[in-house]
Coordinates of all heavy atoms in Angstrom, one line a residue:
M902 N 50.7 -107.7 119.7 CA 51.1 -108.6 118.7 C 51.8 -107.8 117.6 O 51.4 -106.7 117.2 CB 49.9 -109.3 118.1 CG 50.2 -110.3 117.0 SD 48.8 -111.3 116.5 CE 48.1 -110.3 115.3
C903 N 52.8 -108.4 117.0 CA 53.5 -107.8 115.9 C 52.7 -108.0 114.6 O 52.7 -109.1 114.1 CB 54.9 -108.4 115.8 SG 55.9 -107.9 114.4
E904 N 52.1 -106.9 114.1 CA 51.3 -107.1 112.9 C 52.1 -107.5 111.7 O 51.6 -108.2 110.9 CB 50.6 -105.8 112.6 CG 49.6 -105.4 113.7 CD 48.5 -106.4 113.9 OE1 48.0 -107.0 112.9 OE2 48.1 -106.6 115.1
A905 N 53.4 -107.1 111.6 CA 54.2 -107.5 110.5 C 54.4 -109.0 110.4 O 54.7 -109.5 109.4 CB 55.5 -106.8 110.6
H906 N 54.3 -109.7 111.5 CA 54.6 -111.1 111.5 C 53.3 -111.9 111.6 O 53.4 -113.1 111.4 CB 55.5 -111.5 112.7 CG 56.9 -111.1 112.5 ND1 57.5 -110.1 113.1 CD2 57.8 -111.7 111.6 CE1 58.7 -110.0 112.7 NE2 58.9 -110.9 111.8
N907 N 52.2 -111.4 112.0 CA 51.0 -112.1 112.0 C 51.2 -113.4 112.9 O 51.0 -114.5 112.5 CB 50.4 -112.4 110.7 CG 49.0 -112.9 110.7 OD1 48.3 -112.8 111.8 ND2 48.5 -113.5 109.6
H908 N 51.7 -113.2 114.1 CA 52.1 -114.3 115.0 C 51.1 -115.4 115.1 O 51.4 -116.6 115.2 CB 52.4 -113.8 116.3 CG 53.7 -113.1 116.4 ND1 54.9 -113.7 116.9 CD2 54.1 -111.9 115.9 CE1 55.9 -112.9 116.8 NE2 55.5 -111.8 116.2
D909 N 49.8 -115.1 115.2 CA 48.8 -116.1 115.5 C 48.4 -117.0 114.2 O 47.8 -118.0 114.3 CB 47.5 -115.4 116.0 CG 47.8 -114.8 117.3 OD1 48.6 -115.2 118.1 OD2 47.1 -113.7 117.6
A910 N 48.9 -116.6 113.1 CA 48.4 -117.3 111.8 C 49.2 -118.5 111.6 O 48.8 -119.3 110.8 CB 48.5 -116.3 110.6
S911 N 50.4 -118.7 112.1 CA 51.3 -119.8 111.8 C 51.5 -120.7 112.9 O 52.1 -120.4 113.9 CB 52.7 -119.2 111.3 OG 53.5 -120.3 111.1
P912 N 51.0 -122.0 112.8 CA 51.2 -123.0 113.8 C 52.7 -123.3 114.0 O 53.1 -123.7 115.1 CB 50.4 -124.2 113.4 CG 50.2 -124.0 111.9 CD 50.3 -122.5 111.6
A913 N 53.5 -123.2 113.0 CA 54.9 -123.5 113.1 C 55.7 -122.4 113.9 O 56.8 -122.7 114.4 CB 55.6 -123.6 111.7
H914 N 55.1 -121.3 114.1 CA 55.7 -120.2 114.8 C 55.5 -120.4 116.3 O 54.4 -120.3 116.7 CB 55.2 -118.9 114.3 CG 55.8 -117.7 115.1 ND1 55.1 -117.1 116.1 CD2 57.0 -117.2 115.1 CE1 55.8 -116.1 116.6 NE2 57.0 -116.2 116.0
E915 N 56.5 -120.9 117.0 CA 56.3 -121.2 118.4 C 57.1 -120.3 119.3 O 57.1 -120.6 120.5 CB 56.7 -122.6 118.6 CG 55.9 -123.6 117.8 CD 56.3 -125.0 118.0 OE1 57.2 -125.3 118.8 OE2 55.8 -125.8 117.3
H916 N 57.7 -119.2 118.9 CA 58.3 -118.3 119.8 C 57.5 -117.1 120.0 O 56.7 -116.7 119.2 CB 59.8 -118.0 119.4 CG 59.9 -117.2 118.1 ND1 59.8 -117.8 116.9 CD2 60.1 -115.9 117.9 CE1 60.0 -116.8 116.0 NE2 60.2 -115.7 116.6
S917 N 57.7 -116.4 121.1 CA 57.0 -115.1 121.3 C 58.0 -114.1 121.6 O 59.2 -114.3 121.8 CB 56.1 -115.3 122.5 OG 56.8 -115.5 123.7
H918 N 57.6 -112.8 121.7 CA 58.5 -111.8 122.0 C 59.2 -112.0 123.4 O 60.3 -111.6 123.6 CB 57.8 -110.4 122.0 CG 57.4 -110.0 120.6 ND1 58.4 -109.8 119.6 CD2 56.2 -109.8 120.0 CE1 57.7 -109.5 118.5 NE2 56.5 -109.5 118.7
S919 N 58.5 -112.6 124.3 CA 59.1 -112.8 125.7 C 60.3 -113.7 125.6 O 61.2 -113.5 126.4 CB 58.0 -113.3 126.6 OG 57.6 -114.6 126.2
E920 N 60.3 -114.7 124.7 CA 61.5 -115.5 124.7 C 62.4 -115.2 123.5 O 63.4 -115.8 123.3 CB 61.1 -117.0 124.6 CG 60.3 -117.3 123.4 CD 59.7 -118.7 123.4 OE1 60.5 -119.7 123.0 OE2 58.5 -118.9 123.7
A921 N 62.0 -114.3 122.7 CA 62.8 -113.8 121.5 C 63.3 -112.4 121.8 O 63.3 -111.9 122.9 CB 62.0 -113.9 120.3
A922 N 63.5 -111.7 120.7 CA 63.9 -110.3 120.8 C 62.7 -109.4 121.2 O 61.6 -109.8 121.0 CB 64.4 -109.8 119.4
P923 N 63.0 -108.3 121.8 CA 61.9 -107.4 122.1 C 61.1 -107.0 120.9 O 61.7 -107.0 119.8 CB 62.6 -106.2 122.7 CG 63.9 -106.7 123.2 CD 64.3 -107.8 122.3
A924 N 59.9 -106.6 121.0 CA 59.0 -106.3 119.8 C 59.7 -105.3 118.9 O 59.6 -105.4 117.7 CB 57.7 -105.8 120.3
E925 N 60.3 -104.3 119.5 CA 60.9 -103.3 118.6 C 62.1 -103.8 117.8 O 62.3 -103.3 116.7 CB 61.3 -102.0 119.3 CG 62.3 -102.2 120.4 CD 61.7 -102.6 121.8 OE1 60.4 -102.8 121.8 OE2 62.4 -102.7 122.7
E926 N 62.7 -104.8 118.2 CA 63.8 -105.4 117.5 C 63.3 -106.5 116.5 O 63.8 -106.7 115.5 CB 64.8 -106.0 118.4 CG 65.7 -105.0 119.2 CD 66.6 -105.7 120.1 OE1 67.1 -106.8 119.7 OE2 66.9 -105.1 121.1
H927 N 62.2 -107.2 117.0 CA 61.7 -108.3 116.2 C 60.9 -107.9 115.0 O 61.0 -108.5 114.0 CB 60.8 -109.1 117.2 CG 60.3 -110.4 116.7 ND1 61.1 -111.5 116.6 CD2 59.1 -110.8 116.2 CE1 60.4 -112.5 116.0 NE2 59.2 -112.1 115.8
C928 N 60.1 -106.8 115.1 CA 59.4 -106.3 114.0 C 60.3 -105.5 113.1 O 61.1 -104.8 113.5 CB 58.2 -105.4 114.4 SG 57.0 -106.3 115.4
H929 N 60.1 -105.7 111.8 CA 61.0 -105.0 110.9 C 60.3 -104.8 109.6 O 59.2 -105.3 109.3 CB 62.2 -105.9 110.6 CG 61.9 -107.3 110.4 ND1 61.4 -107.9 109.3 CD2 61.9 -108.3 111.3 CE1 61.2 -109.2 109.4 NE2 61.4 -109.5 110.7
S930 N 60.9 -104.0 108.7 CA 60.1 -103.5 107.5 C 60.5 -104.3 106.3 O 60.0 -104.0 105.2 CB 60.4 -102.1 107.3 OG 61.8 -101.8 107.2
H931 N 61.4 -105.3 106.3 CA 61.8 -105.9 105.1 C 60.9 -107.1 104.7 O 61.1 -107.8 103.7 CB 63.3 -106.3 105.1 CG 63.7 -107.3 106.0 ND1 64.2 -107.0 107.2 CD2 63.6 -108.7 106.0 CE1 64.5 -108.1 107.9 NE2 64.1 -109.1 107.2
A932 N 59.9 -107.4 105.5 CA 59.0 -108.5 105.2 C 58.1 -108.1 104.0 O 57.7 -106.9 104.0 CB 58.1 -108.9 106.4
V933 N 57.9 -109.0 103.1 CA 57.0 -108.7 102.0 C 55.9 -109.7 102.0 O 55.9 -110.7 102.6 CB 57.8 -108.8 100.6 CG1 58.9 -107.7 100.6 CG2 58.5 -110.1 100.5
A934 N 54.8 -109.3 101.2 CA 53.6 -110.1 101.3 C 53.6 -111.3 100.4 O 52.9 -112.3 100.7 CB 52.4 -109.2 100.9
T935 N 54.3 -111.4 99.3 CA 54.2 -112.5 98.4 C 55.6 -112.9 98.0 O 56.6 -112.2 98.2 CB 53.4 -112.2 97.1 OG1 54.0 -111.0 96.5 CG2 52.0 -111.8 97.5
A936 N 55.7 -114.1 97.4 CA 57.0 -114.6 96.9 C 57.2 -114.4 95.4 O 56.3 -114.5 94.6 CB 57.0 -116.1 97.2
D937 N 58.4 -114.2 95.1 CA 58.9 -114.2 93.7 C 60.3 -114.6 93.7 O 60.8 -115.0 94.8 CB 58.6 -112.8 93.0 CG 59.4 -111.7 93.6 OD1 60.5 -111.9 94.1 OD2 58.9 -110.5 93.5
E938 N 61.0 -114.4 92.7 CA 62.4 -114.9 92.6 C 63.3 -114.2 93.6 O 64.3 -114.7 94.0 CB 63.0 -114.9 91.2 CG 62.3 -116.0 90.4 CD 63.0 -116.0 89.0 OE1 64.1 -115.6 88.8 OE2 62.3 -116.5 88.1
S939 N 63.0 -112.9 94.0 CA 63.8 -112.1 94.8 C 63.4 -112.3 96.3 O 64.0 -111.7 97.2 CB 63.8 -110.7 94.4 OG 62.5 -110.1 94.7
T940 N 62.4 -113.1 96.6 CA 61.9 -113.3 97.9 C 61.9 -114.8 98.3 O 62.0 -115.6 97.5 CB 60.5 -112.7 98.1 OG1 59.6 -113.4 97.3 CG2 60.5 -111.2 97.8
A941 N 61.9 -115.0 99.6 CA 61.8 -116.4 100.1 C 60.9 -116.4 101.4 O 60.8 -115.4 102.1 CB 63.2 -116.9 100.4
E942 N 60.3 -117.5 101.7 CA 59.5 -117.6 102.9 C 60.4 -118.1 104.0 O 61.2 -119.0 103.9 CB 58.4 -118.7 102.6 CG 57.5 -118.8 103.8 CD 56.3 -119.8 103.5 OE1 56.4 -120.6 102.6 OE2 55.3 -119.6 104.2
C943 N 60.2 -117.4 105.1 CA 61.0 -117.8 106.3 C 60.6 -119.2 106.8 O 59.4 -119.5 106.9 CB 60.7 -116.8 107.5 SG 61.6 -117.3 109.0
P944 N 61.5 -120.2 107.0 CA 61.1 -121.5 107.4 C 60.6 -121.6 108.8 O 59.8 -122.5 109.2 CB 62.4 -122.3 107.2 CG 63.5 -121.3 107.4 CD 62.9 -120.0 106.8
V945 N 60.9 -120.6 109.6 CA 60.4 -120.6 111.0 C 59.1 -119.9 111.1 O 58.2 -120.4 111.8 CB 61.5 -119.9 111.9 CG1 61.0 -119.8 113.4 CG2 62.8 -120.6 111.9
M946 N 58.9 -118.8 110.5 CA 57.7 -118.0 110.6 C 57.0 -118.2 109.2 O 57.0 -117.3 108.4 CB 57.9 -116.6 110.9 CG 58.6 -116.3 112.2 SD 57.6 -115.6 113.4 CE 56.7 -114.4 112.5
R947 N 56.4 -119.3 109.0 CA 55.7 -119.6 107.7 C 54.7 -118.5 107.4 O 54.0 -118.0 108.2 CB 55.0 -121.0 107.8 CG 55.9 -122.1 108.3 CD 56.9 -122.5 107.3 NE 56.4 -123.0 106.1 CZ 57.0 -123.0 104.9 NH1 58.2 -122.6 104.8 NH2 56.3 -123.4 103.8
G948 N 54.7 -118.1 106.2 CA 53.9 -117.0 105.7 C 54.5 -115.7 105.7 O 54.0 -114.8 105.1
N949 N 55.7 -115.6 106.2 CA 56.5 -114.3 106.2 C 57.5 -114.5 105.0 O 58.4 -115.4 105.1 CB 57.2 -114.1 107.5 CG 56.3 -113.6 108.6 OD1 55.2 -113.0 108.2 ND2 56.7 -113.8 109.8
Y950 N 57.4 -113.6 104.1 CA 58.3 -113.6 103.0 C 59.3 -112.4 103.1 O 58.9 -111.4 103.6 CB 57.5 -113.4 101.6 CG 56.7 -114.7 101.4 CD1 55.4 -114.7 101.9 CD2 57.2 -115.7 100.6 CE1 54.6 -115.9 101.7 CE2 56.4 -116.8 100.4 CZ 55.1 -116.9 100.9 OH 54.4 -118.0 100.7
V951 N 60.5 -112.7 102.8 CA 61.6 -111.7 103.0 C 62.3 -111.5 101.7 O 62.4 -112.4 100.9 CB 62.6 -112.1 104.1 CG1 61.9 -112.1 105.4 CG2 63.2 -113.4 103.8
D952 N 62.8 -110.3 101.5 CA 63.6 -110.0 100.4 C 65.0 -110.7 100.6 O 65.6 -110.5 101.6 CB 63.8 -108.5 100.3 CG 64.6 -108.1 99.1 OD1 64.1 -107.9 98.0 OD2 65.9 -108.0 99.2
K953 N 65.4 -111.5 99.6 CA 66.6 -112.3 99.8 C 67.9 -111.4 100.0 O 68.7 -111.7 100.8 CB 66.9 -113.2 98.6 CG 65.9 -114.3 98.5 CD 66.1 -115.2 97.3 CE 65.2 -116.3 97.1 NZ 65.4 -117.1 95.9
A954 N 67.9 -110.3 99.2 CA 69.1 -109.4 99.4 C 69.1 -108.7 100.7 O 70.2 -108.6 101.4 CB 69.0 -108.4 98.3
D955 N 68.0 -108.3 101.3 CA 67.9 -107.8 102.6 C 68.3 -108.8 103.6 O 69.1 -108.4 104.6 CB 66.5 -107.2 102.9 CG 66.2 -106.0 102.2 OD1 67.0 -105.3 101.6 OD2 65.0 -105.6 102.2
A956 N 67.8 -110.0 103.5 CA 68.2 -111.0 104.5 C 69.7 -111.3 104.4 O 70.3 -111.4 105.5 CB 67.4 -112.3 104.2
E957 N 70.3 -111.4 103.3 CA 71.7 -111.7 103.2 C 72.5 -110.5 103.8 O 73.5 -110.7 104.5 CB 72.1 -111.9 101.7 CG 71.7 -113.3 101.3 CD 72.2 -113.7 99.9 OE1 73.1 -113.0 99.4 OE2 71.7 -114.7 99.4
A958 N 72.1 -109.3 103.5 CA 72.8 -108.1 104.0 C 72.7 -108.0 105.5 O 73.7 -107.6 106.2 CB 72.2 -106.8 103.4
S959 N 71.7 -108.6 106.1 CA 71.5 -108.5 107.5 C 72.0 -109.8 108.2 O 71.9 -109.9 109.4 CB 70.0 -108.4 107.9 OG 69.5 -107.2 107.3
G960 N 72.5 -110.7 107.4 CA 73.0 -112.0 108.1 C 71.9 -112.9 108.5 O 72.1 -113.8 109.3
L961 N 70.7 -112.7 107.9 CA 69.5 -113.6 108.2 C 69.4 -114.7 107.3 O 68.3 -114.9 106.6 CB 68.3 -112.7 108.3 CG 68.3 -111.6 109.3 CD1 67.0 -110.7 109.2 CD2 68.3 -112.2 110.7
I962 N 70.4 -115.5 107.1 CA 70.4 -116.7 106.2 C 71.0 -117.8 107.0 O 71.8 -117.6 107.9 CB 71.2 -116.4 105.0 CG1 72.7 -115.9 105.3 CG2 70.5 -115.4 104.1 CD1 73.6 -115.8 104.2
R963 N 70.6 -119.0 106.6 CA 71.2 -120.2 107.1 C 71.4 -121.2 105.9 O 70.5 -121.3 105.1 CB 70.4 -120.9 108.2 CG 70.2 -120.1 109.4 CD 71.5 -119.9 110.1 NE 71.4 -119.3 111.4 CZ 71.4 -118.0 111.7 NH1 71.5 -117.2 110.7 NH2 71.3 -117.6 112.9
D964 N 72.6 -121.8 105.8 CA 72.8 -122.9 104.9 C 72.7 -124.2 105.5 O 73.4 -124.4 106.6 CB 74.2 -122.7 104.2 CG 74.2 -121.4 103.3 OD1 73.3 -121.2 102.6 OD2 75.2 -120.7 103.5
Y965 N 71.8 -125.0 105.1 CA 71.6 -126.3 105.7 C 71.4 -127.4 104.7 O 70.5 -127.2 103.8 CB 70.4 -126.2 106.7 CG 70.1 -127.5 107.4 CD1 70.9 -128.0 108.5 CD2 69.1 -128.4 107.0 CE1 70.6 -129.1 109.1 CE2 68.8 -129.6 107.6 CZ 69.6 -129.9 108.7 OH 69.4 -131.2 109.3
D966 N 72.1 -128.4 104.7 CA 72.0 -129.6 103.8 C 72.0 -129.1 102.4 O 71.2 -129.6 101.5 CB 70.7 -130.4 104.2 CG 70.7 -131.8 103.7 OD1 71.8 -132.3 103.4 OD2 69.6 -132.4 103.5
G967 N 72.8 -128.2 102.1 CA 73.1 -127.8 100.7 C 72.1 -126.8 100.1 O 72.0 -126.4 99.0
T968 N 71.2 -126.2 101.0 CA 70.2 -125.3 100.6 C 70.3 -124.0 101.5 O 70.5 -124.1 102.7 CB 68.7 -125.9 100.8 OG1 68.7 -127.0 100.0 CG2 67.7 -124.9 100.3
R969 N 70.1 -122.9 100.9 CA 70.1 -121.6 101.7 C 68.7 -121.3 102.1 O 67.8 -121.3 101.2 CB 70.7 -120.5 100.8 CG 70.6 -119.1 101.5 CD 71.6 -118.2 101.1 NE 72.9 -118.6 101.7 CZ 74.0 -117.9 101.5 NH1 74.1 -116.8 100.7 NH2 75.1 -118.3 102.0
Y970 N 68.5 -120.9 103.3 CA 67.2 -120.5 103.9 C 67.4 -119.1 104.3 O 68.4 -118.6 104.9 CB 66.8 -121.4 105.0 CG 66.6 -122.8 104.6 CD1 67.6 -123.8 104.7 CD2 65.4 -123.2 104.0 CE1 67.5 -125.1 104.2 CE2 65.3 -124.5 103.5 CZ 66.3 -125.4 103.6 OH 66.1 -126.7 103.1
Y971 N 66.3 -118.3 104.1 CA 66.2 -116.9 104.4 C 65.3 -116.7 105.6 O 64.1 -117.2 105.6 CB 65.8 -116.1 103.2 CG 66.7 -116.3 102.1 CD1 66.6 -117.3 101.2 CD2 67.7 -115.4 101.9 CE1 67.5 -117.5 100.1 CE2 68.7 -115.5 100.8 CZ 68.5 -116.6 99.9 OH 69.4 -116.8 98.9
L972 N 65.8 -116.0 106.6 CA 65.0 -115.8 107.8 C 64.4 -114.4 107.9 O 65.0 -113.4 107.4 CB 65.8 -116.0 109.1 CG 66.6 -117.4 109.1 CD1 67.6 -117.4 110.2 CD2 65.6 -118.6 109.1
C973 N 63.2 -114.2 108.5 CA 62.6 -112.9 108.6 C 63.1 -112.0 109.6 O 62.9 -110.8 109.6 CB 61.0 -113.1 108.7 SG 60.5 -113.8 110.2
C974 N 63.7 -112.6 110.7 CA 64.2 -111.8 111.8 C 65.3 -112.5 112.5 O 65.4 -113.7 112.4 CB 63.1 -111.3 112.7 SG 62.3 -112.6 113.5
A975 N 66.1 -111.8 113.4 CA 67.1 -112.3 114.1 C 66.6 -113.4 115.2 O 67.3 -114.3 115.5 CB 67.9 -111.2 114.9
S976 N 65.4 -113.3 115.6 CA 64.8 -114.2 116.5 C 64.7 -115.6 115.9 O 64.7 -116.6 116.7 CB 63.5 -113.7 117.0 OG 63.6 -112.5 117.7
C977 N 64.5 -115.7 114.6 CA 64.3 -117.0 114.0 C 65.6 -117.8 113.8 O 65.6 -119.0 113.8 CB 63.7 -116.8 112.6 SG 62.0 -116.2 112.7
G978 N 66.8 -117.1 113.9 CA 68.1 -117.7 113.7 C 68.4 -118.8 114.7 O 68.6 -119.9 114.3
P979 N 68.3 -118.5 116.0 CA 68.6 -119.5 117.0 C 67.6 -120.6 117.0 O 67.9 -121.7 117.3 CB 68.5 -118.7 118.4 CG 68.7 -117.3 117.9 CD 68.2 -117.1 116.6
L980 N 66.3 -120.3 116.7 CA 65.3 -121.4 116.7 C 65.6 -122.4 115.5 O 65.5 -123.5 115.7 CB 63.9 -120.8 116.5 CG 63.4 -119.9 117.7 CD1 62.2 -119.1 117.3 CD2 63.2 -120.8 118.9
F981 N 65.9 -121.8 114.4 CA 66.3 -122.6 113.2 C 67.6 -123.5 113.5 O 67.6 -124.7 113.3 CB 66.5 -121.8 112.0 CG 66.8 -122.6 110.7 CD1 65.7 -123.1 110.0 CD2 68.1 -122.9 110.3 CE1 66.0 -123.9 108.8 CE2 68.3 -123.6 109.2 CZ 67.3 -124.1 108.5
D982 N 68.5 -122.8 114.1 CA 69.8 -123.5 114.4 C 69.6 -124.6 115.4 O 70.2 -125.7 115.3 CB 70.8 -122.5 115.0 CG 71.3 -121.4 114.0 OD1 71.1 -121.6 112.8 OD2 71.8 -120.4 114.5
A983 N 68.7 -124.5 116.3 CA 68.5 -125.5 117.3 C 67.8 -126.8 116.8 O 68.1 -127.9 117.3 CB 67.6 -124.9 118.5
D984 N 67.0 -126.6 115.8 CA 66.3 -127.8 115.3 C 65.8 -127.5 113.8 O 64.6 -127.4 113.6 CB 65.1 -128.1 116.2 CG 64.5 -129.5 115.9 OD1 64.9 -130.1 114.9 OD2 63.5 -129.8 116.6
P985 N 66.7 -127.4 112.9 CA 66.3 -127.1 111.5 C 65.3 -128.1 110.9 O 64.3 -127.7 110.2 CB 67.6 -127.2 110.7 CG 68.7 -127.6 111.6 CD 68.1 -127.6 113.0
E986 N 65.4 -129.4 111.3 CA 64.5 -130.4 110.7 C 63.1 -130.1 111.2 O 62.1 -130.4 110.4 CB 64.9 -131.8 111.1 CG 66.2 -132.2 110.5 CD 66.1 -132.4 109.0 OE1 65.0 -132.7 108.5 OE2 67.1 -132.1 108.3
K987 N 62.9 -129.6 112.3 CA 61.5 -129.3 112.8 C 60.8 -128.3 111.9 O 59.7 -128.4 111.6 CB 61.6 -128.7 114.2 CG 60.3 -128.1 114.8 CD 60.6 -127.5 116.2 CE 59.4 -126.8 116.7 NZ 59.6 -126.3 118.1
Y988 N 61.6 -127.3 111.5 CA 61.0 -126.2 110.6 C 61.0 -126.6 109.1 O 60.0 -126.3 108.4 CB 61.8 -124.9 110.8 CG 61.7 -124.4 112.2 CD1 62.7 -124.6 113.1 CD2 60.5 -123.9 112.7 CE1 62.6 -124.2 114.4 CE2 60.3 -123.5 114.0 CZ 61.4 -123.7 114.9 OH 61.3 -123.3 116.2
L989 N 61.9 -127.4 108.7 CA 61.9 -127.8 107.3 C 60.9 -128.9 107.0 O 60.5 -129.1 105.9 CB 63.3 -128.3 106.9 CG 64.4 -127.2 107.1 CD1 65.8 -127.7 106.7 CD2 64.1 -126.0 106.3
A990 N 60.5 -129.6 108.0 CA 59.5 -130.7 107.8 C 58.1 -130.0 107.4 O 57.3 -130.7 106.7 CB 59.2 -131.5 109.1
A991 N 57.9 -128.8 107.8 CA 56.7 -128.1 107.4 C 56.7 -127.6 106.0 O 55.7 -127.1 105.5 CB 56.4 -127.0 108.4
I992 N 57.9 -127.6 105.3 CA 58.0 -127.0 104.0 C 57.5 -128.0 103.0 O 57.7 -129.1 102.9 CB 59.4 -126.6 103.7 CG1 59.8 -125.4 104.6 CG2 59.6 -126.2 102.3 CD1 61.3 -125.0 104.5

C-alpha cells in the first residue's frame, strides 16, 4: 500500500496500482497533510492535499465547469476526466 496516499481511508478512491500507474510512479512527495491557501484537496483521492504550485508545474490540474481542481498524481487525471461529476459529488 502506498503510505503517502493512505489508499484504504478514502471510499471515493476506487483505483489501485494495478489499474493505475506503478507504485513507484504513483507515490510522490508533493502531498501535504493539511489545507491552506497554497494547497488543495485532490477530488479523486479525498484526504490527499497537494501543493497547488507543484500540481500546476506537473500538469496535475483540471479545469471543469469554471473551477480549477488539483490532482495528487497522474493516475487521478484519467479517472477525473472520465467522470468528473462522480468525484465532485463527494465535495
Side-chain angles (χ1 to χ4, degrees):
M902 179 169 88
C903 173
E904 295 301 322
H906 283 106
N907 193 13
H908 284 257
D909 297 329
S911 175
H914 178 254
E915 297 178 6
H916 68 278
S917 68
H918 289 298
S919 62
E920 62 186 280
E925 59 274 4
E926 291 178 30
H927 188 75
C928 296
H929 43 81
S930 61
H931 66 261
V933 293
T935 59
D937 63 30
E938 290 185 21
S939 68
T940 63
E942 184 176 22
C943 177
V945 177
M946 298 252 318
R947 307 292 298 156
N949 285 336
Y950 294 87
V951 296
D952 183 88
K953 291 178 181 180
D955 287 349
E957 287 189 13
S959 300
L961 298 174
I962 55 171
R963 295 297 188 272
D964 294 314
Y965 180 77
D966 201 22
T968 302
R969 175 155 286 182
Y970 297 95
Y971 300 86
L972 307 173
C973 66
C974 63
S976 298
C977 291
L980 294 169
F981 184 85
D982 294 342
D984 193 359
E986 292 297 325
K987 172 182 176 180
Y988 298 104
L989 300 180
I992 295 177

